[in-house]
Amino acid sequence: MAKYNYRASKKNIIIRGQIEAKNASEAQSAVRKMGLTPIKITQDQESALKEKKKITIPKKGLPELSLNDKINFTQTLQILTATGIPIIATLAFMEENAERKKVQIACNVIKTQIIAGATLADTMEKNQKIFGRVYAGLTRAGEDSGELDVTLDRMLTLFKKQASIKSRVIGALVYPVFVVVLAVLVVVVMLAFVFPAFESMFDSLGGKLPKITQMCIDAGHFICDYWWILIIATVVIIYLTIVIFKNEVTRRIIDRIVLKIPLLNSLMRYANYANFLAVLQVSYDAGIPIVNSLYLANLTIENSVLKDGISQAATTVQQGTGLSEALRMTGQIPNMILFMVATGEQSGRLGDMLAHCVTYIDKKLDDIIDTFTKLVEPFMLIVIGGIVLVLALALYMPLFGLYTQL
């Protein structure tokens, strides 16, 4: 039970006191039961500090919320805020009913800081590691404009769109990765178990084995005798891959290479554009200046080459250049997007045109994913067919040789 300080009225007389309750909502109900009209309910700071100690924050610091956690957090916060429930009561409810420990910690930290006198936007900026800079910037814009519930609704739509884009892109890439992994496992099983079983039969046939058959048998012996080397090599490869992708220098090289691969280039570009334009549109509609909107939108771009181009565009806009011209100078943005942005600037309907840009990019991304999937499937079939053909030839070529001798 936590302690809550209340200020209430009864027959135009102001009454102050303290009451114990599980949360602010329960404290408010208890004050009403006393025949008082609650004016303000705040948790006692000493009680809040004791309650904070109950929440164990990991040694590595505050945990970052995943995209799904942000969606659930924002959805609940938006609904309760729109109904007029005080922010402290809202956060107390969310903390008690959170299904994930990360969300519980986030609600507790924010609630404690607001009780100490901070605004919601202040807490978001202090805890950018939890929510990210985009969330903090949009929350500040919502509070400054007095439309926090509207901004939260826009953010909810934004996060759902980002989750949809992420799932579509991952879905397009999972199939080829799954096929490659399956093919490797099939080859290992064939070499380690099938070929050794046929080796005695091949020896009884006499004569020299075909090179492809001998190579498969030797590979099978190596796998059986030195399987531990393969496990270590697999772990090392996975570790080095993670290090390479996290290292800034090597990641930039990979990003440049990806943008030169046909089809994969379009998939990565439009996936980044979709996130970029969605955040840009939401930020601009929330009343954030275009330069700051560009900065927030650029945070969602994962490809370093594209990110550098947008950063340069933000600098150019800050110097007085129009948005469409600054984006054109990057040489990265599709012409259709540039045309719509230029039209929006000239007509004074940039927000509406950005919304149309988001719709256009989403449809374009769907088309690219469909094309990617349709082209990858036959390619994977060719790869699997080639592997099966090689293994079949390695098994049956010695038998074919025997039949020709007979």
Side-chain angles (χ1 to χ4, degrees), residues 198-207 209 399 402:
F198 278 83
E199 185 178 6
S200 58
M201 184 184 71
F202 292 153
D203 291 339
S204 65
L205 296 176
L209 292 176
L399 299 178
L402 177 63

Side-chain angles (χ1 to χ4, degrees), residues 315-335:
T315 303
T316 306
V317 171
Q318 194 170 17
Q319 294 171 351
T321 306
L323 176 60
S324 59
E325 182 59 28
L327 293 176
R328 188 186 304 277
M329 292 170 63
T330 65
Q332 303 288 351
I333 307 299
N335 290 331

Side-chain angles (χ1 to χ4, degrees), residues 26 60 98 101 122-123 138-139 162-163 169 172 200 207 223 241 264 278 286 298-299 303 325 328 338 370 377 406:
E26 187 177 302
K60 60 182 180 180
K101 187 69 174 179
D122 292 336
T123 62
L138 292 175
T139 304
Q162 289 179 338
V169 173
S200 58
I223 292 173
T241 301
L264 186 60
N298 198 28
L299 295 175
N303 187 282
E325 182 59 28
R328 188 186 304 277
L338 295 174
D370 289 340
E377 286 180 357
L406 297 176

